[in-house]
Amino acid sequence: MDTKAVFAALYSVCEENATFFSGGAKGSQGDAARRLVDTMKLIKEHARSLEPVISGFAAVYHHYDFDPHIPANGYRSLVKVVRCCLLHIIQKGRYITANRRSIFFRVAHNAGEMEAYCNALCQLRALLYLAQRMLHDNSHGNLFFQDESGLSESFVREYSSMHKGCFYGRCLGFQFSPGIRPCLQTIAIGLVAFGENYKRHQSGIGVAASSFFTSGKYAIDPELRGAEFERITQNLDVHFWKAFWNITETEVLSSLASMTSTQVKVNRTLSVPAVPFDLPLAANHRASVTIAPPSAHIGTAPVQMRLISYDLREGQDSEALLSLARAEGGAISLSLGLKTKRLPSSPCLLIHFHGGGFVAQTSKSHEPYLKSWSQDLGVPILSVDYSLAPEAPFPRALEECFYAYCWALRNHHLLGWTGEKVCLAGDSAGGNLSVTTSMRAAAFGVRMPDGIVAVYPATLLTAYASPSRLLTLMDPLLPLSVLSRCLSAYAGADPQTETQIEKASTMSMVRRDTALLLRDFRQGASNWIHSLLDSNRASASPSTAAEAPPGATDTVRKSISEASISSRHADPPVASETSEFPSRNLSVKSQTCQDLGSHNNSTSHSAPLLNERTPEDVNFFLSKDVDPAVSSDLFSVALPPPAVEEGLELEHPVEFPLGFEPLRSEKPSKMRLHSSPVFKDPFCSPLLAPDSMLKGLPPVHIVACALDPMLDDSVMFAKRLRNINQPVTLCVVDDLPHGFLSLSQEFAPSSLRRTHHQSHASTASWKGPIGVYRLLLGKMLSGEGLELLMGRA
C-alpha cells in the first residue's frame, strides 16, 4: 500500500468536504456542519503528524519479523491499524462527498461518524508515540521492553487514563475483517447489557433474559455502548468475566451449539481418580517415574476430561472407561442404540487444552470445533477440563494437564488409541499449557508428545510492554485491564479473589505453590531411583530416597534423553532485582536429576526451600551484531523521552511530545499490574525458559493473529526456538481477532503465511482458520509432516 497515496487521498477528501460545509448553514444543520468542518481539520492535523511516523516505521519494521516470508510483528500491526483507520475515514469522506446534496443526507449522523474516527486516530497517534519510545529503549530485534518499570509502567499508567470508548462504539472492530465485525458487535452489546444486570439476579438465566431486554439501547446508541464498555472493562473484577465468558455453557446455548455442530459417536465427560501411577522413562523403559496426582491449592481431586470421537473405536465402550464417565446434562453422550460399528484403535490421539484466560470456559465451550476436528482428522480427542483461577491458581492447571497427559499415555487402550503418536493442542491459555506440559514431561523424563499446535498462545505473562500489546487499548476481546486481571488471578496475586481456601499473602501463595511443585519433582526423582533399585516395586516412597546409593543419581541422569540436555543455557545473564522465588528455570539435566535428587530426603513444604537458589534470568532474544545502516534507520524513527523544562517537577514523566495530548477518560481507573515472581517462572512464561528447557520440545506449530495483542508473544517465542535450532513453524492470520476459533467456523482469513516456503502445501487449499488448524494437526500426526518440519522432506 502506497503511504503517500493514502495520505494524499485523505487530505483531498477532508479539504473538499471542509470547504463545502463551511458555507454557513443555520440551525441544527449549521451546528452539525460546523462539527464536521472542525473534525475534518483536526483529522488533517493528526494526519500531518502521522505521515512521517508511518513512513519511518515502514522502513524499519521488517527488522523485527520472524522471517522474510512472515511479515508480522507488533510494529507492523500498529501501522496496519492506523492505515485501516485512515482508509475508513477516506471511505466515509467519499460517501459524504457523493451524498451531501441529497435531501436524505443526515449531517449530524455523519458528523458523529467522523468524530468517532477522529478520536480513534488521535489515540492511535499516542500509541505510535509509545511505539517510537520502544524502538528507542529496546535492544535491537527485541519486541519486548524487558522491565516492568519504566516504559512498561508508563504504558499501564497511560492506559488507565486514556479514553477508550471511541474504539467500542461506532469504530468497534474497524481493524478486523468485515465478516467478523457483526459478531464482535453482538459480543459488545451482550457484554454491556450483561454488565448492567450483573449481580441483580441470582440465576444465569435471569441475567441473560434481562440482558436481552436491555440490549436494544446499546445497539441504537453506539456512544452509550462505548462508554459503558469502557466502564465495565476498567472496573469489574475477574468474577464478572468468568460469568460472562461461561454464558455459552448454559444449557440452552450449549444445546443449540450441539444441534448445529458435527454429530459424533462418542462424547463422554470423564472423571479420573487422582491416584499415583508409574510411567516408564523415555530413554530407559526398564526404569519408571511415579506421576503424583495434582494437589496444589485445593488438594487432591479427580481430574476432569472429555473424550470426543467421531467413530466408536475399540476400548471407548469398555466397562473400565464407562466407570469413569460422569453424568452431564443435555444430549446422550454415547450413541450405541443401533449397535454402532466399532473401528480399530486410531494410531493418533489429540490432547486438547482449552483457552479462557486461565479463569473461564471448559471443553464444552470448545466442543463444536473439536467435533469437526475429530471427523476431519479421524482421531479421538481428549480435552482436559483443568481447574480454573482464581480458586485454583498456578500451578494447579499445569499439574492437572500434565497428569491427564501421563494418564492418557498409560491408558491408551481406553481411549481408542494405539499409543503410537500423540499431539498437544491449545489456544491462548491452552497454548501456554501445551508448551509447559511438554516442558514438564521433559523434566520428568517421560515420553514427549510428537508435536505441539499453539494458537495465539500466551508465552509471556509478565507486564513487559511490546508494540502488539499496545493494541490492548482498542481490542474488544483483550483489553489490558481484563488481561491483567486474568493473569493476576492465575498467579494468585489478585487482591479481589473470592475463594474458599485459606487466606494468604501473595508471597505465601508463591511459597506454597512452589513447594508443591518442587515436591512433585522430588518425588519423581526419588521414585526413579527406587524403581531402578527395585523394578518389582509398584511405587516408591519419597521418604526412603535418601537410602539410595551414591551412584543411583548418576544412573538416572544418564537415562534422560541426551537430546534434551545436550547443551547448557547459552543466554547471557541479565541483571534484575533479587527475587525470593525458587529457581525452576534450570537446565533439564540439573532440574530433573541433580538438584532435585539432592533434596530427595525431604518432603517438607517449609520456606527454606525457597532460598536454596536464586532465579536464573533469561534474555529472551539473542542479540546479533547490528548493521550500522540499520541503526541509522532505527535512530531516525525512534523517539527518546520528551525533555522536561529544568526546575519543573512532575508527578509522572511526560510521555508525548510538546503540543500533543491524547484524549482522557472522564473517570480514569486506578489500574496497576500486579508484579509477581510467579510470572517469571518458565513453567508460567515459557518465553523466559532457558535454552536447555526448550531444547527438549517437540516440533512446535504456532498460529498467530496479525492484530492480536499477543502477536509478539508468538513471534518472539518462534524466534527463541529457531535460535536454538528447534523445529518451529509460524502461521500468521490476517484480519481476525484473538479467540477466533471460538467465534466462528465460517469466515476465512484474507491471507495466510507460513515459515517454510519450501512446503508443498498450497495456501489456497486452507479454507479459513479452522482449516489451518486441521491441516497443521494432520501434518503433525503424519510422518510426512514431521519429516517436513525436521527439514528432511
Side-chain angles (χ1 to χ4, degrees):
M1 182 184 299
D2 188 350
T3 301
K4 290 185 178 180
V6 171
F7 280 95
L10 180 73
Y11 298 143
S12 175
V13 73
C14 287
E15 183 66 31
E16 184 180 359
N17 282 304
T19 302
F20 178 85
F21 287 101
S22 298
K26 298 180 180 180
S28 60
Q29 287 288 93
D31 292 337
R34 282 190 290 272
R35 285 170 49 202
L36 194 55
V37 171
D38 293 340
T39 302
M40 294 292 186
K41 291 180 179 179
L42 189 54
I43 288 174
K44 287 173 60 179
E45 179 184 338
H46 289 314
R48 289 192 180 94
S49 298
L50 284 170
E51 184 173 7
V53 178
I54 295 294
S55 300
F57 272 114
V60 300
Y61 53 35
H62 63 278
H63 296 300
Y64 297 85
D65 293 334
F66 170 75
D67 182 281
H69 307 283
I70 308 293
N73 61 69
Y75 294 116
R76 283 185 181 272
S77 299
L78 282 171
V79 171
K80 180 175 181 178
V81 170
V82 174
R83 285 174 171 167
C84 188
C85 185
L86 295 175
L87 291 175
H88 274 80
I89 294 174
I90 293 172
Q91 181 183 18
K92 189 64 182 177
R94 289 173 175 171
Y95 169 83
I96 294 173
T97 301
N99 296 276
R100 63 196 179 193
R101 298 182 184 276
S102 170
I103 59 173
F104 300 105
F105 181 76
R106 295 178 296 165
V107 181
H109 169 78
N110 287 277
E113 293 276 328
M114 295 302 289
E115 285 174 343
Y117 279 101
C118 180
N119 293 340
L121 193 63
C122 176
Q123 304 305 77
L124 289 172
R125 181 180 171 187
L127 294 185
L128 282 183
Y129 280 137
L130 293 175
Q132 288 180 280
R133 287 282 311 282
M134 290 181 186
L135 278 177
H136 180 272
D137 295 352
N138 285 354
S139 59
H140 172 64
N142 192 1
L143 290 170
F144 286 96
F145 183 81
Q146 196 173 355
D147 192 352
E148 292 181 355
S149 60
L151 188 57
S152 299
E153 185 180 24
S154 297
F155 171 55
V156 174
R157 183 173 60 251
E158 291 296 330
Y159 175 91
S160 63
S161 64
M162 286 176 65
H163 171 62
K164 296 169 280 290
C166 60
F167 292 112
Y168 305 127
R170 298 178 189 270
C171 302
L172 179 68
F174 73 91
Q175 68 271 37
F176 299 117
S177 170
I180 195 65
R181 288 177 207 158
C183 179
L184 295 178
Q185 290 174 356
T186 303
I187 292 174
I189 293 171
L191 172 65
V192 294
F194 185 85
E196 181 177 348
N197 296 278
Y198 182 59
K199 291 188 176 180
R200 292 185 183 179
H201 303 272
Q202 296 297 323
S203 68
I205 296 179
V207 176
S210 299
S211 301
F212 176 78
F213 288 109
T214 59
S215 60
K217 60 183 178 182
Y218 298 115
I220 297 173
D221 191 342
E223 278 77 20
L224 178 63
R225 180 180 71 216
E228 186 67 6
F229 196 105
E230 180 177 357
R231 183 193 69 81
I232 288 175
T233 55
Q234 293 201 151
N235 296 305
L236 294 186
D237 61 15
V238 70
H239 301 283
F240 166 81
W241 298 102
K242 181 190 288 281
F244 178 71
W245 288 337
N246 286 337
I247 285 179
T248 56
E249 299 192 13
T250 58
E251 186 172 348
V252 175
L253 292 181
S254 63
S255 297
L256 290 175
S258 180
M259 287 188 294
T260 57
S261 60
T262 302
Q263 299 303 307
V264 296
K265 298 295 190 301
V266 179
N267 185 4
R268 276 289 189 189
T269 53
L270 308 176
S271 182
V272 177
V275 295
F277 56 86
D278 290 344
L279 269 188
L281 295 179
N284 182 4
H285 292 283
R286 291 177 296 180
S288 63
V289 57
T290 296
I291 306 300
S295 58
H297 295 292
I298 57 178
T300 302
V303 178
Q304 311 302 320
M305 313 175 196
R306 179 184 298 272
L307 178 63
I308 296 176
S309 182
Y310 181 74
D311 298 301
L312 175 64
R313 298 183 180 274
E314 291 184 2
Q316 293 178 342
D317 58 346
S318 64
E319 291 296 330
L321 182 70
L322 294 179
S323 67
L324 302 175
R326 58 184 174 89
E328 184 181 39
I332 298 176
S333 301
L334 187 58
S335 303
L336 296 176
L338 300 177
K339 295 184 179 180
T340 305
K341 180 181 179 181
R342 187 184 295 106
L343 299 182
S345 296
S346 168
C348 307
L349 174 71
L350 171 63
I351 299 180
H352 172 260
F353 305 127
H354 66 81
F358 301 104
V359 301
Q361 299 192 335
T362 66
S363 60
K364 197 169 189 64
S365 308
H366 301 250
E367 185 181 352
Y369 66 77
L370 292 179
K371 290 179 178 179
S372 64
W373 291 357
S374 181
Q375 178 185 16
D376 292 345
L377 293 173
V379 302
I381 298 176
L382 185 68
S383 185
V384 182
D385 287 321
Y386 53 87
S387 297
L388 302 172
E391 293 78 11
F394 176 86
R396 181 69 187 205
L398 175 58
E399 288 183 350
E400 293 186 2
C401 290
F402 176 68
Y403 184 87
Y405 169 73
C406 294
W407 181 86
L409 294 180
R410 187 173 185 266
N411 297 277
H412 58 85
H413 57 286
L414 301 180
L415 304 176
W417 171 45
T418 62
E420 293 179 42
K421 295 179 180 178
V422 58
C423 167
L424 302 186
D427 63 300
S428 192
N432 174 289
L433 292 170
S434 297
V435 175
T436 53
T437 296
S438 300
M439 291 166 57
R440 200 171 189 194
F444 271 76
V446 299
R447 171 187 170 178
M448 294 290 285
D450 295 286
I452 300 171
V453 174
V455 177
Y456 37 83
T459 64
L460 184 64
L461 306 190
T462 63
Y464 298 157
S466 83
S468 75
R469 292 188 178 187
L470 296 178
L471 296 173
T472 54
L473 186 79
M474 71 193 76
D475 195 279
L477 300 175
L478 272 187
L480 181 63
S481 53
V482 179
L483 181 61
S484 66
R485 286 186 175 93
C486 293
L487 299 184
S488 295
Y490 184 55
D494 190 347
Q496 298 180 349
T497 297
E498 300 173 4
T499 124
Q500 298 179 351
I501 62 175
E502 62 175 318
K503 294 183 179 180
S505 66
T506 299
M507 284 310 301
S508 65
M509 290 182 180
V510 173
R511 293 188 181 98
R512 180 172 57 186
D513 302 348
T514 303
L516 289 169
L517 191 55
L518 287 175
R519 182 203 63 183
D520 293 345
F521 284 161
R522 288 198 307 276
Q523 287 179 345
S526 62
N527 279 296
W528 295 349
I529 297 173
H530 280 271
S531 62
L532 288 175
L533 296 177
D534 185 3
S535 58
N536 296 322
R537 195 166 62 84
S539 62
S541 173
S543 62
T544 61
E547 300 174 8
T553 303
D554 293 335
T555 303
V556 178
R557 185 180 300 116
K558 293 178 182 178
S559 70
I560 304 297
S561 171
E562 290 297 325
S564 302
I565 62 176
S566 58
S567 69
R568 299 183 61 84
H569 171 49
D571 287 331
V574 179
S576 68
E577 58 183 5
T578 304
S579 169
E580 296 181 0
F581 193 67
S583 175
R584 288 207 298 273
N585 52 344
L586 307 175
S587 68
V588 175
K589 183 174 181 178
S590 62
Q591 178 70 17
T592 55
C593 306
Q594 187 175 9
D595 295 340
L596 300 180
S598 64
H599 300 299
N600 57 16
N601 59 347
S602 171
T603 58
S604 172
H605 296 175
S606 58
L609 286 175
L610 297 171
N611 298 319
E612 290 175 356
R613 188 181 295 270
T614 58
E616 179 183 0
D617 292 305
V618 175
N619 179 3
F620 46 74
F621 185 81
L622 298 181
S623 298
K624 299 179 180 179
D625 294 335
V626 183
D627 188 341
V630 174
S631 298
S632 177
D633 291 340
L634 294 176
F635 182 77
S636 64
V637 186
L639 189 69
V644 180
E645 295 182 13
E646 186 176 353
L648 181 62
E649 294 184 2
L650 300 176
E651 181 181 357
H652 299 298
V654 178
E655 302 298 339
F656 304 105
L658 185 64
F660 172 77
E661 186 69 17
L663 301 176
R664 299 295 179 181
S665 297
E666 294 181 1
K667 296 180 179 179
S669 65
K670 295 182 179 179
M671 193 195 82
R672 68 181 184 87
L673 294 183
H674 298 282
S675 179
S676 170
V678 175
F679 292 136
K680 297 183 180 180
D681 187 291
F683 288 98
C684 191
S685 296
L687 183 57
L688 296 179
D691 290 350
S692 49
M693 292 183 71
L694 299 178
K695 276 186 174 294
L697 290 178
V700 178
H701 306 256
I702 302 174
V703 179
C705 306
L707 301 178
D708 182 5
M710 290 186 177
L711 169 65
D712 291 337
D713 292 54
S714 296
V715 174
M716 291 301 296
F717 191 62
K719 286 185 177 183
R720 284 223 54 204
L721 294 176
R722 182 185 59 187
N723 286 337
I724 58 175
N725 297 319
Q726 280 291 111
V728 58
T729 62
L730 174 66
C731 298
V732 180
V733 181
D734 284 336
D735 304 330
L736 294 181
H738 183 94
F740 67 77
L741 282 177
S742 299
L743 296 179
S744 173
Q745 300 186 44
E746 303 301 328
F747 52 84
S750 58
S751 64
L752 186 72
R753 318 181 191 103
R754 61 175 302 168
T755 54
H756 292 277
H757 59 280
Q758 67 269 31
S759 168
H760 301 294
S762 171
T763 57
S765 65
W766 297 9
K767 304 300 183 182
I770 304 301
V772 176
Y773 221 173
R774 290 172 184 162
L775 188 142
L776 287 173
L777 289 169
K779 279 191 167 295
M780 186 177 311
L781 294 172
S782 68
E784 176 189 358
L786 294 177
E787 290 291 318
L788 175 65
L789 289 176
M790 298 302 294
R792 295 191 291 268

